[in-house]
C-alpha cells in the first residue's frame, strides 16, 4: 500500500508518519530528510539543493524527480511505502503516478494534515528552539507556508479527484487521534 502524507510545514506529518511507519511496518521516506543528509555530506545533490532549502523555496522539480525515482526504485518500496514531503507539486505527483503505474501499483491513500496557520507558526517556534533548522527562521517559515499554499495545496484537489484523499484534523496531542 502506498500512502502520501500531505500537509503544510509544521503540520506534524513527519511525527505521525514515523508512528504510522512503525505500526504499518512499512518504510517511510522523507525527501526533506534525504536532502538535509545530502547537504550535510556535501554531495552534488546537496550543493544544488541547499540554496533553495535555506530560503524556504522548493528544490526545482528537475532536481527532485531523480531523487523520487531513486526512492521508488528501492527494493523495499515494491510492497508499498509512506511518502513524507513528496510529491509537493503537480508534476511530482504525475511522476509518482507514472512510476507506480509502471509496476501496476498506485497511490492508495493521501492523508491531508489540516492545521490552521497560527498553530503552524506556534509549532515552528517550538521546533526552531529544539532542532535549529536553517529554514525554521520566521522569514523562511513564512516563505515555506506561502510556497505550500501555491505549489503543494493544489494536490488536495488533484488527489480528491482521484478519490484517495482523507482529511486528518491535525490539532491536539500526537497520540489522540490514532
Ligand atoms: P521538509 O523537511 O519536508 O519540510 O523539507 C525541507 C525543504 O526541503 C523544503 O522546504 C524544500 O526546500 C525541500 N524539499 C523537500 N522535499 C521536497 C520536494 N518533494 N520538492 C521540492 N523541495 C523539497
Amino acid at each position: 500500500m502506498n500512502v502520501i502524507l500531505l500537509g503544510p510545514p509544521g503540520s506534524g506529518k513527519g511525527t505521525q508518519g514515523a508512528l504510522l511507519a512503525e505500526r504499518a511496518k512499512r518504510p517511510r521516506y522523507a525527501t526533506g530528510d534525504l536532502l538535509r543528509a545530502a547537504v550535510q555530506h556535501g554531495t552534488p545533490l546537496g550543493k544544488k539543493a541547499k540554496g533553495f532549502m535555506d530560503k524556504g523555496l522548493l528544490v526545482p522539480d528537475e532536481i527532485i524527480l531523480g531523487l523520487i525515482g531513486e526512492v521508488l526504485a528501492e527494493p523495499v518500496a515494491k510492497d508499498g511505502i509512506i511518502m513524507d514531503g513528496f510529491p509537493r507539486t503537480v508534476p511530482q505527483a504525475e511522476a509518482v503516478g507514472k512510476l507506480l503505474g509502471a509496476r501496476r501499483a498506485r497511490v492508495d491513500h493521501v492523508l491531508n494534515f489540516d492545521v490552521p496557520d497560527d498553530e503552524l507558526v506556534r509549532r515552528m517556534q517550538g521546533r526552531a528552539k529544539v532542532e535549529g533548522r536553517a529554514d525554521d527562521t520566521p522569514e523562511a517559515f513564512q516563505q515555506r507556508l506561502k510556497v505550500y499554499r501555491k505549489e503543494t495545496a493544489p494536490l488536495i484537489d488533484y488527489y480528491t479527484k482521484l478519490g484517495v484523499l482523507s482529511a486528518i484534523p491535525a490539532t491536539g496531542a500526537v497520540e489522540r487521534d490514532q
Side-chain angles (χ1 to χ4, degrees):
M1 191 169 73
N2 291 295
V3 179
I4 291 172
L5 309 177
L6 189 63
S11 59
K13 62 184 161 36
T15 311
Q16 294 293 351
L19 281 171
L20 180 65
E22 202 179 299
R23 288 179 192 185
K25 298 198 169 45
R26 292 315 308 153
R28 161 183 163 259
Y29 286 96
T31 39
D33 290 347
L34 295 172
L35 289 168
R36 276 185 289 279
V39 170
Q40 209 170 16
H41 293 112
T43 67
L45 171 67
K47 284 184 185 139
K48 280 188 228 162
K50 186 176 187 315
F52 297 102
M53 294 171 75
D54 286 351
K55 291 194 199 80
L57 298 172
L58 289 187
V59 177
D61 284 341
E62 56 270 27
I63 300 174
I64 286 293
L65 290 179
L67 184 63
I68 291 179
E70 278 173 35
V71 166
L72 293 180
E74 290 279 335
V76 290
K78 86 177 185 321
D79 295 322
I81 64 167
I82 297 163
M83 295 173 237
D84 179 351
F86 77 100
R88 235 160 160 127
T89 63
V90 170
Q92 289 183 25
E94 287 168 347
V96 167
K98 271 195 200 131
L99 288 163
L100 292 178
R103 47 161 221 252
R104 293 161 172 264
R106 60 186 292 243
V107 172
D108 298 287
H109 295 288
V110 178
L111 308 182
N112 182 37
F113 289 75
D114 205 10
V115 182
D117 276 9
D118 54 347
E119 169 76 7
L120 294 174
V121 171
R122 206 178 56 74
R123 289 189 196 179
M124 177 278 295
Q125 286 162 347
R127 183 170 75 178
K129 284 192 201 117
V130 181
E131 294 181 17
R133 272 173 57 164
D135 58 356
D136 272 346
T137 62
E139 298 74 26
F141 190 79
Q142 284 303 332
Q143 182 62 41
R144 286 160 65 207
L145 267 183
K146 206 165 107 189
V147 165
Y148 174 80
R149 302 281 173 226
K150 181 157 176 274
E151 304 198 48
T152 307
L155 295 183
I156 296 172
D157 230 34
Y158 181 93
Y159 285 117
T160 299
K161 286 190 179 124
L162 291 180
V164 291
L165 193 99
S166 307
I168 309 285
T171 40
V174 169
E175 291 274 353
R176 198 195 63 182
D177 296 314
Q178 305 299 306

